[in-house]
Amino acid sequence: MNLLLFGGILITSEIDFSQFFCWNKDCTDYGIKNQGNIVLKERYGKNKHALFKCKTCKKCFSETKGTIFFELNTPDEEVLRTIAMLPEKGSIRGVARATGHSKDTICRWLEIAGTHAEEVTTYFLKNLNLTRVEVDEIWSYIKKSKKM
């Protein structure tokens, strides 16, 4: 827990700053976690997201940068709950009726989540250099897991 003096008021923060890094590609601490250079600048928006500042380059970024929640005004839990309903309801219009969100909003959230999932998959699944036998073993494991 960190104690911060903010506007003359002492507040506590439950944020683990070691998990964040500077997003500025020109910063010497870019992409490096736990450097001690990230500090809480303020809370903003109706979701009270944290706005961080890098002490090295002085640039600011949101705690949601790099996630599907970046620049969304809806609470994170509501976005996740709505997206999770899609397989159950089977249609975007059905989810729109059940949640009260417009179908355009749901489509936008789904596109953001899909793009993010594709980026994460591409990042982690490149240059695996698997043999045909290894790929077959992975698929066998997945099929077996589905039957359970």
Side-chain angles (χ1 to χ4, degrees):
M1 177 163 35
N2 300 306
L3 295 176
L4 303 166
L5 190 60
F6 185 75
I9 301 170
L10 198 60
I11 59 172
T12 60
S13 170
E14 299 295 326
I15 298 172
D16 182 5
F17 290 94
S18 68
Q19 298 303 308
F20 294 93
F21 59 87
C22 183
W23 282 86
N24 178 12
K25 292 183 179 180
D26 297 328
C27 181
T28 55
D29 290 328
Y30 168 70
I32 306 170
K33 291 181 180 179
N34 207 12
Q35 290 294 100
N37 62 316
I38 304 300
V39 295
L40 178 66
K41 182 179 179 194
E42 63 186 28
R43 296 267 180 191
Y44 72 96
K46 65 181 180 181
N47 293 328
K48 298 295 180 199
H49 286 298
L51 183 66
F52 296 124
K53 184 174 186 176
C54 174
K55 293 192 290 186
T56 306
C57 68
K58 309 293 188 238
K59 298 286 184 182
C60 297
F61 61 92
S62 171
E63 71 177 313
T64 59
K65 175 90 171 153
T67 73
I68 66 171
F69 309 111
F70 184 59
E71 296 183 332
L72 295 184
N73 293 319
T74 308
D76 302 351
E77 297 80 22
E78 179 66 19
V79 174
L80 290 175
R81 187 174 31 256
T82 303
I83 291 172
M85 290 177 86
L86 284 164
E88 181 70 28
K89 291 288 185 187
S91 74
I92 292 171
R93 289 180 192 272
V95 173
R97 285 190 297 273
T99 62
H101 297 294
S102 77
K103 65 181 186 67
D104 292 337
T105 298
I106 295 169
C107 286
R108 187 168 51 88
W109 291 346
L110 189 57
E111 184 176 343
I112 292 168
T115 301
H116 186 73
E118 184 178 18
E119 290 170 356
V120 169
T121 301
T122 301
Y123 176 81
F124 283 111
L125 297 181
K126 64 181 173 190
N127 301 325
L128 291 179
N129 300 322
L130 298 174
T131 66
R132 186 178 206 114
V133 173
E134 290 171 318
V135 173
D136 187 52
E137 288 175 3
I138 292 170
W139 277 113
S140 296
Y141 176 78
I142 291 170
K143 287 178 185 177
K144 188 185 286 185
S145 296
K146 285 185 178 181
K147 292 179 183 176
M148 294 177 143

